[in-house]
Amino acid sequence: MAPGDHHVLVIEDELPIRRFLRASLASAGYRVSEAESGEEAFKMAARQPPDLVILDLGLPDVDGQDVLERLREWYTQPILVLSARDQESQKIRALDHGADDYVTKPFGVGELLARIRTALRHSRRTGPEATSFTVGDLRVDLTARLVYRGETEVHLTPLEYKLLVTMLKHGGKVLTHRFLLREVWGPGNSQENHYLRVFVAGLRRKLETDPARPRYILTEQGVGYRFAAEA
Ligand code: CA
């Protein structure tokens, strides 16, 4: 699909940033609509559901987190949040409540457009459940539970495998530490970040050509990890 087929709703109260977003998105070929408050956004999204929402977490009328949670009650397309540099915990909370990705202010157009493309690509991957994943030289056969690097089978422990598949299924998306711990280790372990560090290091040793400079399992500093959906 060409960008022109995609409609992006920008929810941002600050006029200069809204203008910047509108100009950047329009020149990349997206159709853009804008809301300057949470209430306006709800009406606009309901009237014409966009393909992607860009949501500023700092809004005047409704807390951006509430906007996110209310949208997520029915809206299933990607939501990308904008956050200030000092709002690490807000960003993590937003990701835990259904945001797909975030961009920290101030951000560049190139970064923003790349995040939008990734999110839109990801959202189109619906339909029947995949039985295998291929990224770069990595291939995972979900029915046989086998992992290959090129032609060579890679032996993973059951937890390593579970972690890898969880990341693959959300490829391209930022996954918080809490999310991964809950999905892989269960609800009682959401604080045990060191489990995750150990297992990610193990996976990188087995899957990455250079574990110190990973191309598949990327670190999102202070937030979590992202599996590079295309290498
Ligand atoms: Ca704002």
Side-chain angles (χ1 to χ4, degrees):
M1 255 200 283
D5 299 324
H6 286 123
H7 167 215
V8 177
L9 172 61
V10 173
I11 312 172
E12 165 66 90
D13 60 309
E14 287 148 87
L15 183 59
I17 300 178
R18 223 163 55 231
R19 276 195 184 133
F20 168 74
L21 287 169
R22 186 207 303 148
S24 312
L25 293 168
S27 67
Y30 294 99
R31 282 187 293 125
V32 187
S33 52
E34 300 161 41
E36 52 182 292
S37 69
E39 284 308 325
E40 194 186 353
F42 294 135
K43 284 187 205 131
M44 292 180 75
R47 202 164 49 223
Q48 198 191 1
D51 298 300
L52 180 137
V53 167
I54 296 178
L55 168 66
D56 178 37
L57 289 176
L59 292 174
D61 59 338
V62 196
D63 185 341
Q65 301 282 353
D66 296 334
V67 176
L68 174 68
E69 286 172 40
R70 258 182 74 181
L71 277 175
R72 270 294 175 246
E73 287 171 10
W74 63 273
Y75 183 72
T76 56
Q77 291 290 107
I79 300 178
L80 202 144
V81 296
L82 303 180
S83 76
R85 194 162 290 287
D86 55 354
Q87 291 171 329
E88 197 82 338
S89 61
Q90 256 209 4
K91 198 159 75 186
I92 293 170
R93 199 177 140 209
L95 291 165
D96 275 330
H97 284 88
D100 290 77
D101 206 345
Y102 65 87
V103 178
T104 306
K105 292 177 180 177
F107 52 85
V109 185
E111 184 194 1
L112 177 76
L113 294 177
R115 298 288 169 108
I116 291 174
R117 280 195 302 271
T118 302
L120 287 172
R121 221 169 8 234
H122 183 72
S123 76
R124 269 186 284 129
R125 234 180 280 135
T126 48
E129 283 287 297
T131 55
S132 72
F133 284 100
T134 306
V135 186
D137 66 346
L138 205 65
R139 185 164 61 86
V140 180
D141 181 336
L142 293 172
T143 52
R145 305 185 121 235
L146 294 175
V147 180
Y148 298 91
R149 257 191 76 188
E151 296 302 310
T152 316
E153 192 187 334
V154 182
H155 295 277
L156 301 183
T157 68
L159 272 176
E160 283 174 340
Y161 180 79
K162 198 172 173 189
L163 177 59
L164 174 64
V165 170
T166 303
M167 290 196 284
L168 276 173
K169 285 190 170 165
H170 302 275
K173 196 173 157 176
V174 185
L175 306 172
T176 63
H177 297 125
R178 181 203 286 273
F179 172 84
L180 286 167
L181 285 162
R182 203 175 48 209
E183 292 290 308
V184 179
W185 280 270
N189 296 292
S190 61
Q191 303 301 321
E192 311 289 342
N193 282 5
H194 60 280
Y195 290 0
L196 204 50
R197 267 199 304 278
V198 170
F199 277 80
V200 164
L203 272 181
R204 280 175 173 160
R205 271 196 303 277
K206 293 180 181 182
L207 303 179
E208 302 278 1
T209 308
D210 181 357
R213 264 174 304 180
R215 56 190 275 229
Y216 298 125
I217 304 172
L218 311 177
T219 299
E220 291 286 329
Q221 210 56 53
V223 176
Y225 297 95
R226 178 204 301 268
F227 195 92
E230 32 304 298

